[in-house]
Amino acid sequence: MALFSRKPAAPAARDLRRERRALLLLRDERLHELGGLTLEMYRRDRFDESLVVERCAELVAIEARASEIDALLAGARGLRRRGAAICACGAPVLIGARFCPSCGRSLIEEQGAEAESR
């Protein structure tokens, strides 16, 4: 029973930063490939929506992991101060997102309300 009560060791900050850099490079590569894929589908007049959705889902997953790493690096105290890293529902917010990926709440309205309250 003691095996299940111990928390796994937290990864080192340098390992998290290395993973984040690799993820951002992968994200840029995938965005470039998505643009090329879309152009080829347009040229051939054969648009495959499921393929585009699959590639976009992969990009969102990459951004979600990068956001998780940012949250781990920032620590809980930094997240509470910033407020933009997590939604009111507690879900991590993706880079440049306008809506929460978990609850669908508009993040633009929340940012405006926070600015007015300051």
Side-chain angles (χ1 to χ4, degrees), residues 25-80:
L25 288 172
L26 180 64
R27 177 181 153 250
D28 290 343
E29 182 182 313
R30 295 293 192 255
L31 276 171
H32 183 75
E33 290 174 0
L34 180 63
L37 175 70
T38 306
L39 179 63
E40 281 302 310
M41 287 191 289
Y42 175 78
R43 281 183 183 160
R44 297 171 190 241
D45 199 26
R46 296 182 63 209
F47 187 77
D48 186 0
E49 184 179 343
S50 63
L51 187 58
V52 173
V53 168
E54 177 184 319
R55 299 295 168 95
C56 288
E58 182 181 0
L59 279 167
V60 168
I62 291 170
E63 285 188 347
R65 178 61 185 152
S67 183
E68 288 174 11
I69 292 172
D70 287 340
L72 288 172
L73 289 171
R77 189 179 320 144
L79 286 177
R80 281 189 222 109

Side-chain angles (χ1 to χ4, degrees), residues 86-116:
I86 57 172
C87 179
C89 70
V93 176
L94 301 178
I95 301 167
R98 292 185 283 172
F99 298 95
C100 174
S102 180
C103 69
R105 183 175 295 153
S106 174
L107 300 172
I108 296 170
E109 293 171 5
E110 287 182 10
Q111 290 172 355
E114 285 178 13
E116 288 176 10

Side-chain angles (χ1 to χ4, degrees), residues 11-30:
R14 71 172 188 270
D15 294 335
L16 289 173
R17 285 191 292 272
R18 186 178 301 128
E19 182 182 355
R20 184 180 182 279
R21 271 194 307 273
L23 284 171
L24 293 179
L25 288 172
L26 180 64
R27 177 181 153 250
D28 290 343
E29 182 182 313
R30 295 293 192 255

